[in-house]
Amino acid sequence: MAILDIRNLTIELNTSQGRVKAVERVNLTLTEGEIQGLVGESGSGKSLVAKAILGIKKDGWVVRADRMRLGDIDLLTLTPSERRRLMANDIAMIFQEPSSHLDPTQEIAEQIEEAIPSNTFEGGFWQRFQWRKKRAVTLLHKVGIKDPISVLRSYPHELSEGVCQKIMIAMAIAKKPRLLIADEPTTAMESTTQIQILKLLHKLNKVNNTSILFISHDIESVSNLSDTLTVMYCGQTVESGTRDQVINHPRHPYTNALLKAVPDFESNLAHKSHLYALPGSIPPLQHLPIGCRLGPRCPNAQKTCVQKPHSTRVKGHMFNCHFPLSIEDETSS
Amino acid sequence: MFIYIIRRLNVFVITLFLLSVVAFLLQRQVITDFVNTGNILSDYQRYILAMLSGNFGTSLASGNPVLTDILAIFPATLELCLMAFVVSILIGIPCGIFAGLSRGGAVDYGIMTITLMGVSVPAFWFAMLLMMFFSLHLGWFPVSGRIGLLYDIPVITGFNLIDTLLSTKPYKYEAFFDSLLHLALPTLVLATIPTTEVIRQVRASIGEEMDKNYIKAAQAKGLNTFQIIKRHGLRNALPPVIPSLGLQFGRVLTTAMITETVFSWPGIGPWMVNSIYLEDHSAIQGGMLFIAAFVLLANMATDLLHLLIDPLKRNELYGKS
Ligand SMILES: Nc1ncnc2c1ncn2[C@@H]1O[C@H](COP(=O)(O)OP(=O)(O)OP(=O)(O)O)[C@@H](O)[C@H]1O
Ligand code: SF4
Ligand SMILES: [Mg+2]
């Protein structure tokens, strides 16, 4: 059963240059208990999608969708209090830029304790007095913080970005959510702790059956953990499918380019040859190409590409391209 | 932190020094009871030593040392000013919050319109209007003074609200309410300016903080708007407003002089005006220095208060030193 089902999500931002479609007709389906990777270059709108799922908006954002459901709950018609209950118990998010998502004037202890819902309490009534504090310490231990007591007594500005990120993770897993959105959860950490955190998320997925939407710009790190993958470019979904489909048989030129840019996946890469990359860079929101947004950078682009491509679906493998790569093509090269 | 306090004290001392120089030069123009020897430096030395020992000279009008007169009168002014600040905080913070939360909405528009009117209305005119309507027409409040003539309250702190309660007279509660009634209108007039300032600052500050990431993260924890404002919004939005409140003190004191004169409040305002009429130079000069020093002190105190309650500000200082 799909825990998350999003159809044609469009997010428009009011900027000084007028209204821009930062996210256009994005589709996302997450099956209960799976880990899905959401991959795309910086600025492709991954965080916007995540915030839209949570229902967090800033001034001047317009979010529209044909369908947006969490399990059997319709996210589009929630009242504010229903949404709060949902956020308190079912959805958690590990935010990018962790230190800015912590209250700068409040001690960490209070902020973590605030994120622990009362219904996760276990034990006798005599333990109620100190349980939040104890739980905060355990949570910090879980995310690999060695001296939880002193961290609990600190203010965010006294801690490194990596520690702040671990605190965000601790707060997110405190409520044992059904859906966890992890937005670049390990960027600020050194590689050994990254592995530790990834293991923790994996365990959470296996033990609590938490579904995870794992957001990253790095297709390599995501693909190790994920069951399914969705690739975004410039606010549009370009391809999605199982890990095997997307990694081993990409049908979209952009996914192909992403994979080729990672040396590990191209084992037959000649020694010291150039890493493959698409020419140009991701266009700014104010100057989006019409039709397929990859157009100006795409090696396969043709005239038809000024029309937005329809999505093709083959055995759950979805891609949006007028001229998809053929599977034979991929295996022969 | 310690270095910051020293630095702040330094500014205080230098400002006071410059003030004393100005006051001294003015005084030399209108020779008073100081003897001029012609040497400006030794004159200044004598002058500053006298000032530092609290000797502001003798008032021509009363024959008392100027400082004694000021200390007897100033609590009345201070009581009025403090009440005005209390009122401005009690009204200004909630209004500022509502305006900041509904930015661009009807509530915001209404509050900001009233605020603009408050800034534009001249204090003396507003004072007379209130006096005519509430005191003369409706008779709800007394027209002038600090307390009814019937009550005889010994001076302990100089603040009537406290002295009435401290006294052992059988009518002490009646006296307390009477002095409250006397305070009401002048306080209202005086509170207008700091209230509008508090509203503006709190509105801007809240509006800015509520769009920050940590507020969005608090929403993601499932807190409601009231909880978010209480636990996160206010603690970030209010401390930065404190220093600007201290800066208001100078403006409030000047307005207080006008208000006091209109309401015949026996504070430092009418006293200064009277000294000017009598050409009582020592009194004018002493009063000026005293008020200036007090305003500087108030600014410094609010700065330090801000430092004490805002961890971010403290952090900023660590970054610098
Ligand atoms: N608050 C905002 N106001 C205006 N534009 C915004 C805002 N937040 C994001 N954007 C724009 O929307 C686009 C998508 O941003 P988003 O943060 O979703 O990218 P991302 O895929 O998460 O990138 P990254 O990997 O850098 O986090 C970007 O071009 C960004 O400039
Ligand atoms: S639709 Fe055209 S431009 Fe877009 S990816 Fe496919 S071939 Fe390239
Ligand atoms: Mg992002």
Side-chain angles (χ1 to χ4, degrees), chain B residues 76-90:
Chain B
T77 303
L78 199 58
E79 184 175 34
L80 194 56
C81 292
L82 289 180
M83 282 300 283
F85 270 105
V86 169
V87 167
S88 72
I89 286 169
L90 289 183

PDB file of all heavy atoms in Angstrom, chain B residues 76-90:
ATOM      1  N   ALA B  76       8.936  62.140  41.550  1.00  0.00           N
ATOM      2  CA  ALA B  76       7.615  62.354  40.957  1.00  0.00           C
ATOM      3  C   ALA B  76       7.678  62.140  39.448  1.00  0.00           C
ATOM      4  O   ALA B  76       6.821  61.464  38.858  1.00  0.00           O
ATOM      5  CB  ALA B  76       7.135  63.768  41.270  1.00  0.00           C
ATOM      6  N   THR B  77       8.704  62.700  38.822  1.00  0.00           N
ATOM      7  CA  THR B  77       8.878  62.530  37.380  1.00  0.00           C
ATOM      8  C   THR B  77       9.148  61.075  37.036  1.00  0.00           C
ATOM      9  O   THR B  77       8.585  60.515  36.101  1.00  0.00           O
ATOM     10  CB  THR B  77      10.055  63.394  36.893  1.00  0.00           C
ATOM     11  OG1 THR B  77       9.788  64.741  37.244  1.00  0.00           O
ATOM     12  CG2 THR B  77      10.238  63.279  35.406  1.00  0.00           C
ATOM     13  N   LEU B  78      10.019  60.457  37.843  1.00  0.00           N
ATOM     14  CA  LEU B  78      10.402  59.074  37.572  1.00  0.00           C
ATOM     15  C   LEU B  78       9.192  58.154  37.683  1.00  0.00           C
ATOM     16  O   LEU B  78       9.003  57.243  36.868  1.00  0.00           O
ATOM     17  CB  LEU B  78      11.490  58.649  38.563  1.00  0.00           C
ATOM     18  CG  LEU B  78      12.293  57.436  38.154  1.00  0.00           C
ATOM     19  CD1 LEU B  78      12.959  57.674  36.810  1.00  0.00           C
ATOM     20  CD2 LEU B  78      13.338  57.122  39.207  1.00  0.00           C
ATOM     21  N   GLU B  79       8.366  58.408  38.687  1.00  0.00           N
ATOM     22  CA  GLU B  79       7.169  57.590  38.869  1.00  0.00           C
ATOM     23  C   GLU B  79       6.290  57.661  37.624  1.00  0.00           C
ATOM     24  O   GLU B  79       5.827  56.639  37.105  1.00  0.00           O
ATOM     25  CB  GLU B  79       6.387  58.079  40.093  1.00  0.00           C
ATOM     26  CG  GLU B  79       5.182  57.215  40.417  1.00  0.00           C
ATOM     27  CD  GLU B  79       4.492  57.655  41.701  1.00  0.00           C
ATOM     28  OE1 GLU B  79       4.477  58.874  41.966  1.00  0.00           O
ATOM     29  OE2 GLU B  79       3.984  56.799  42.435  1.00  0.00           O
ATOM     30  N   LEU B  80       6.117  58.863  37.127  1.00  0.00           N
ATOM     31  CA  LEU B  80       5.303  59.068  35.938  1.00  0.00           C
ATOM     32  C   LEU B  80       5.898  58.340  34.735  1.00  0.00           C
ATOM     33  O   LEU B  80       5.202  57.628  34.005  1.00  0.00           O
ATOM     34  CB  LEU B  80       5.220  60.575  35.668  1.00  0.00           C
ATOM     35  CG  LEU B  80       4.182  61.065  34.679  1.00  0.00           C
ATOM     36  CD1 LEU B  80       2.805  60.603  35.095  1.00  0.00           C
ATOM     37  CD2 LEU B  80       4.232  62.583  34.595  1.00  0.00           C
ATOM     38  N   CYS B  81       7.208  58.500  34.563  1.00  0.00           N
ATOM     39  CA  CYS B  81       7.868  57.881  33.407  1.00  0.00           C
ATOM     40  C   CYS B  81       7.803  56.360  33.481  1.00  0.00           C
ATOM     41  O   CYS B  81       7.516  55.690  32.486  1.00  0.00           O
ATOM     42  CB  CYS B  81       9.329  58.312  33.319  1.00  0.00           C
ATOM     43  SG  CYS B  81       9.529  60.039  32.924  1.00  0.00           S
ATOM     44  N   LEU B  82       8.073  55.812  34.672  1.00  0.00           N
ATOM     45  CA  LEU B  82       8.059  54.361  34.800  1.00  0.00           C
ATOM     46  C   LEU B  82       6.663  53.810  34.538  1.00  0.00           C
ATOM     47  O   LEU B  82       6.509  52.791  33.860  1.00  0.00           O
ATOM     48  CB  LEU B  82       8.556  53.945  36.191  1.00  0.00           C
ATOM     49  CG  LEU B  82      10.052  54.159  36.410  1.00  0.00           C
ATOM     50  CD1 LEU B  82      10.450  53.732  37.810  1.00  0.00           C
ATOM     51  CD2 LEU B  82      10.866  53.397  35.371  1.00  0.00           C
ATOM     52  N   MET B  83       5.666  54.504  35.072  1.00  0.00           N
ATOM     53  CA  MET B  83       4.293  54.059  34.815  1.00  0.00           C
ATOM     54  C   MET B  83       4.010  54.082  33.311  1.00  0.00           C
ATOM     55  O   MET B  83       3.378  53.173  32.772  1.00  0.00           O
ATOM     56  CB  MET B  83       3.295  54.968  35.539  1.00  0.00           C
ATOM     57  CG  MET B  83       3.157  54.701  37.011  1.00  0.00           C
ATOM     58  SD  MET B  83       2.611  53.027  37.347  1.00  0.00           S
ATOM     59  CE  MET B  83       0.865  53.183  36.968  1.00  0.00           C
ATOM     60  N   ALA B  84       4.486  55.149  32.661  1.00  0.00           N
ATOM     61  CA  ALA B  84       4.266  55.250  31.215  1.00  0.00           C
ATOM     62  C   ALA B  84       4.916  54.068  30.500  1.00  0.00           C
ATOM     63  O   ALA B  84       4.332  53.494  29.575  1.00  0.00           O
ATOM     64  CB  ALA B  84       4.824  56.561  30.682  1.00  0.00           C
ATOM     65  N   PHE B  85       6.108  53.687  30.950  1.00  0.00           N
ATOM     66  CA  PHE B  85       6.774  52.551  30.308  1.00  0.00           C
ATOM     67  C   PHE B  85       6.032  51.247  30.567  1.00  0.00           C
ATOM     68  O   PHE B  85       5.885  50.419  29.667  1.00  0.00           O
ATOM     69  CB  PHE B  85       8.219  52.434  30.789  1.00  0.00           C
ATOM     70  CG  PHE B  85       9.160  53.226  29.936  1.00  0.00           C
ATOM     71  CD1 PHE B  85       9.682  54.422  30.387  1.00  0.00           C
ATOM     72  CD2 PHE B  85       9.493  52.792  28.671  1.00  0.00           C
ATOM     73  CE1 PHE B  85      10.527  55.168  29.592  1.00  0.00           C
ATOM     74  CE2 PHE B  85      10.333  53.525  27.862  1.00  0.00           C
ATOM     75  CZ  PHE B  85      10.852  54.716  28.326  1.00  0.00           C
ATOM     76  N   VAL B  86       5.565  51.084  31.809  1.00  0.00           N
ATOM     77  CA  VAL B  86       4.811  49.870  32.123  1.00  0.00           C
ATOM     78  C   VAL B  86       3.589  49.776  31.220  1.00  0.00           C
ATOM     79  O   VAL B  86       3.323  48.741  30.595  1.00  0.00           O
ATOM     80  CB  VAL B  86       4.399  49.862  33.615  1.00  0.00           C
ATOM     81  CG1 VAL B  86       3.395  48.758  33.875  1.00  0.00           C
ATOM     82  CG2 VAL B  86       5.616  49.697  34.495  1.00  0.00           C
ATOM     83  N   VAL B  87       2.856  50.900  31.114  1.00  0.00           N
ATOM     84  CA  VAL B  87       1.658  50.905  30.270  1.00  0.00           C
ATOM     85  C   VAL B  87       2.025  50.622  28.816  1.00  0.00           C
ATOM     86  O   VAL B  87       1.377  49.826  28.133  1.00  0.00           O
ATOM     87  CB  VAL B  87       0.922  52.258  30.388  1.00  0.00           C
ATOM     88  CG1 VAL B  87      -0.133  52.392  29.301  1.00  0.00           C
ATOM     89  CG2 VAL B  87       0.289  52.380  31.753  1.00  0.00           C
ATOM     90  N   SER B  88       3.119  51.240  28.358  1.00  0.00           N
ATOM     91  CA  SER B  88       3.472  51.062  26.948  1.00  0.00           C
ATOM     92  C   SER B  88       3.864  49.620  26.670  1.00  0.00           C
ATOM     93  O   SER B  88       3.606  49.100  25.580  1.00  0.00           O
ATOM     94  CB  SER B  88       4.591  52.010  26.541  1.00  0.00           C
ATOM     95  OG  SER B  88       5.796  51.589  27.120  1.00  0.00           O
ATOM     96  N   ILE B  89       4.460  48.957  27.649  1.00  0.00           N
ATOM     97  CA  ILE B  89       4.816  47.546  27.452  1.00  0.00           C
ATOM     98  C   ILE B  89       3.565  46.677  27.474  1.00  0.00           C
ATOM     99  O   ILE B  89       3.381  45.794  26.635  1.00  0.00           O
ATOM    100  CB  ILE B  89       5.832  47.104  28.517  1.00  0.00           C
ATOM    101  CG1 ILE B  89       7.196  47.711  28.198  1.00  0.00           C
ATOM    102  CG2 ILE B  89       5.946  45.587  28.565  1.00  0.00           C
ATOM    103  CD1 ILE B  89       8.201  47.561  29.298  1.00  0.00           C
ATOM    104  N   LEU B  90       2.680  46.977  28.434  1.00  0.00           N
ATOM    105  CA  LEU B  90       1.461  46.167  28.554  1.00  0.00           C
ATOM    106  C   LEU B  90       0.580  46.291  27.315  1.00  0.00           C
ATOM    107  O   LEU B  90      -0.044  45.327  26.894  1.00  0.00           O
ATOM    108  CB  LEU B  90       0.665  46.590  29.795  1.00  0.00           C
ATOM    109  CG  LEU B  90       1.286  46.198  31.132  1.00  0.00           C
ATOM    110  CD1 LEU B  90       0.388  46.594  32.284  1.00  0.00           C
ATOM    111  CD2 LEU B  90       1.546  44.692  31.167  1.00  0.00           C
TER     112      LEU B  90
END
